[in-house]
């Protein structure tokens, strides 16, 4: 079990144009010790602690040590810590503090691997600075994860491909994929209001997340989260962008629909087909409110399904005496020219 503790804006000297973290974390209490006690008193089991929000690498070392000291009453139940942070500034002193307090996982926020877009986002770091931090942390023995975003200002499919290729090259411990959401009270909200930022369509956002998710998974890299959940954003502060309570499910069901369609199109099948698949994949085949079934029907395919002893992500399509096998990575064929 991971108990998340949000420390809004801690260590942030500048704010990213999309960030209104007081809204994201819904945490206004500046008393960090009290926040920690309230979060940890709810459990009597052992747990991992996640420190999220802000830029821990930019916290003064003496203050960072003080924060960790607040956890001492719970040390017998805390298995380890994970933190999320910007990749800069990284110092040997901070690394030593993290090691001394059993931080094992470091999630580095890296919305894009395009320096021009990073500058537009006011991230205050470059791609090369991220890479330097990434490899230093890996060499120090941390499990390093990466948080990426889709739907950013000036983002193109070349950027999405570069992000996916970079993830494959780096082989992080895991990744998270966040769609850009426009929150009131941010620079991005002003850009949206004056027309200088126009979000991509929802379907396009799903496609971009789908491509990164599948490319990473094909190389054995786990995605632990796609999208924002209800406890991460206050809905009435959303001005625009791509928030959906089931965004991750929509991506995974899009993957399955595209993979089946790729096989059907390749063999020019029409009419009734039966898809045999793992029971856990049935919701991904059916889609949100049966949207995949309807989409395939509009393409001339009427789908029935049968659960089978097949590995998750694999499937078979039967049409008369014909049996074809495929897997979710067949969906990547739709993105060759995107």
């Amino acid at each position: 079990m991971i108990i998340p503790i949000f420390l809004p804006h801690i260590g942030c000297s500048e704010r990213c144009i999309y960030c209104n973290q007081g809204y994201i974390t819904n945490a206004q209490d500046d008393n960090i010790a009290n926040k920690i006690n309230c979060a940890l008193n709810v459990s009597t089991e052992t747990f991992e602690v996640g420190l999220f929000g802000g830029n821990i690498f930019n916290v003064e070392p003496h203050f960072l040590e003080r924060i960790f000291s607040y956890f001492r009453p719970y040390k017998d139940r805390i298995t380890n810590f994970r933190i999320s942070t910007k990749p800069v500034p990284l110092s040997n002193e901070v690394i030593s503090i993290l090691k001394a307090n059993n931080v094992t996982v470091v999630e580095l926020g890296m919305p894009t691997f395009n320096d021009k877009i990073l500058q537009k986002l006011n991230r205050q770091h470059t791609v090369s600075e991220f890479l330097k931090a990434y490899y230093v942390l890996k060499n120090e023995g941390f499990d390093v994860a990466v948080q990426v975003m889709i739907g950013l200002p000036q983002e193109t499919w070349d950027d999405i491909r570069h992000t996916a290729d970079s993830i494959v090259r780096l082989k992080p411990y895991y990744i998270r994929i966040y769609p850009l959401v426009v929150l009131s009270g941010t620079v991005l909200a002003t850009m949206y209001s004056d027309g200088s930022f126009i979000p991509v369509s929802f379907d396009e956002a799903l496609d971009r997340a789908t491509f990164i998710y599948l490319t990473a998974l094909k190389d054995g890299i786990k995605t632990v989260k796609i999208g924002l959940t209800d406890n991460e954003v206050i809905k009435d502060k959303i001005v625009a962008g791509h928030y959906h309570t089931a965004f991750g499910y929509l991506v995974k069901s899009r993957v399955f629909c595209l993979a089946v369609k790729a096989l059907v199109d390749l063999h020019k099948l029409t009419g009734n087909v039966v898809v045999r698949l793992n029971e856990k994949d049935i919701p991904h085949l059916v889609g949100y409110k049966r949207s995949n079934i309807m989409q395939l029907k509009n393409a001339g395919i009427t789908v029935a399904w049968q659960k089978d002893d097949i590995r998750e992500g694999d499937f078979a399509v039967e049409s008369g005496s014909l049996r074809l096998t495929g897997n979710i990575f067949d969906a990547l064929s739709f993105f060759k020219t995107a």
Side-chain angles (χ1 to χ4, degrees):
M1 178 175 67
I2 300 174
I3 296 182
I5 295 176
F6 294 99
L7 305 175
H9 303 304
I10 192 166
C12 287
S13 55
E14 298 284 343
R15 187 177 296 190
C16 304
I17 65 170
Y18 50 78
C19 182
N20 193 333
Q21 207 168 72
Y23 293 137
I24 293 174
T25 63
N26 197 24
Q28 305 298 326
D29 183 6
D30 292 328
N31 188 329
I32 294 175
N34 182 59
K35 188 179 297 183
I36 289 169
N37 289 332
C38 289
L40 302 191
N41 276 331
V42 300
S43 175
T44 59
E45 305 294 328
T46 58
F47 48 82
E48 179 180 359
V49 173
L51 297 180
F52 303 117
N55 183 12
I56 285 178
F57 284 176
N58 200 38
V59 175
E60 290 293 332
H62 72 276
F63 187 52
L64 186 57
E65 288 183 322
R66 189 192 314 166
I67 291 171
F68 279 114
S69 74
Y70 298 145
F71 291 96
R72 285 176 188 155
Y74 308 96
K75 65 180 182 179
D76 292 339
R77 287 189 281 140
I78 297 174
T79 59
N80 64 292
F81 288 85
R82 70 177 60 200
I83 66 169
S84 69
T85 180
K86 285 184 177 179
V88 295
L90 180 59
S91 68
N92 290 332
E93 191 172 5
V94 167
I95 288 174
S96 295
I97 293 170
L98 299 181
K99 284 185 169 182
N101 288 279
N102 199 25
V103 174
T104 60
V105 181
V106 178
E107 297 186 19
L108 295 179
M110 188 60 178
T112 177
F113 287 78
N114 180 318
D115 275 333
K116 290 182 179 179
I117 298 179
L118 287 174
Q119 185 176 20
K120 183 82 172 176
L121 298 176
N122 197 33
R123 288 290 295 178
Q124 302 291 306
H125 66 82
T126 63
V127 173
S128 88
E129 287 172 321
F130 161 81
L131 293 173
K132 180 179 178 181
Y134 182 90
Y135 286 115
V136 166
L137 292 165
K138 290 268 285 188
N139 289 337
E140 290 287 345
F142 294 97
D143 291 322
V144 187
V146 179
Q147 302 172 357
V148 298
M149 298 181 75
I150 54 94
L152 301 170
Q154 301 176 356
E155 177 186 276
T156 67
W157 262 96
D158 283 343
D159 295 314
I160 294 297
R161 293 184 186 284
H162 186 42
T163 292
D165 290 344
S166 298
I167 289 168
V168 168
R169 184 178 71 255
L170 292 168
K171 298 193 183 317
Y173 188 49
Y174 58 78
I175 64 171
R176 298 180 191 263
I177 305 171
Y178 294 112
L180 184 64
V181 173
V182 183
L183 300 174
S184 61
T186 64
V187 173
L188 189 64
T190 301
M191 292 170 59
Y192 175 72
S193 296
D194 66 23
S196 59
F197 171 64
I198 301 173
V200 298
S201 70
F202 190 76
D203 281 348
E204 178 67 16
L206 287 176
D207 278 345
R208 294 182 183 192
T210 294
F211 180 77
I212 293 174
Y213 163 71
L214 266 185
T215 303
L217 184 62
K218 190 173 183 180
D219 205 63
I221 300 164
K222 178 174 60 175
T223 299
V224 299
K225 186 177 187 181
I226 310 172
L228 293 159
T229 50
D230 280 346
N231 64 338
E232 292 177 302
V233 67
I234 296 179
K235 294 178 185 178
D236 62 7
K237 302 300 180 183
I238 298 173
V239 176
H242 304 302
Y243 170 79
H244 193 292
T245 55
F247 193 88
Y249 165 65
L250 291 175
V251 166
K252 291 179 180 180
S253 65
R254 195 177 194 83
V255 164
F256 220 93
C257 182
L258 290 177
V260 170
K261 193 170 187 305
L263 201 61
V264 164
D265 289 352
L266 180 64
H267 295 274
K268 297 180 173 57
L269 301 182
T270 58
N272 297 328
V273 303
V274 175
V275 179
R276 295 190 176 274
L277 70 173
N278 187 287
E279 184 175 11
K280 292 181 180 178
D281 280 327
I282 292 174
H284 299 146
L285 171 67
V286 175
Y288 185 69
K289 296 183 178 179
R290 297 180 64 86
S291 58
N292 286 351
I293 300 302
M294 294 306 300
Q295 184 177 338
L296 290 166
K297 187 172 184 179
N298 291 338
I301 298 293
T302 301
V303 174
W305 57 89
Q306 293 283 339
K307 64 180 181 180
D308 207 330
D309 186 21
I310 294 176
R311 183 177 59 181
E312 283 184 66
D314 292 347
F315 59 87
V317 175
E318 296 178 345
S319 177
S321 60
L322 183 66
R323 178 184 170 93
L324 306 168
T325 59
N327 61 53
I328 56 174
F329 301 114
D330 292 333
L332 285 169
S333 64
F334 285 95
F335 300 105
K336 288 181 179 178
T337 58

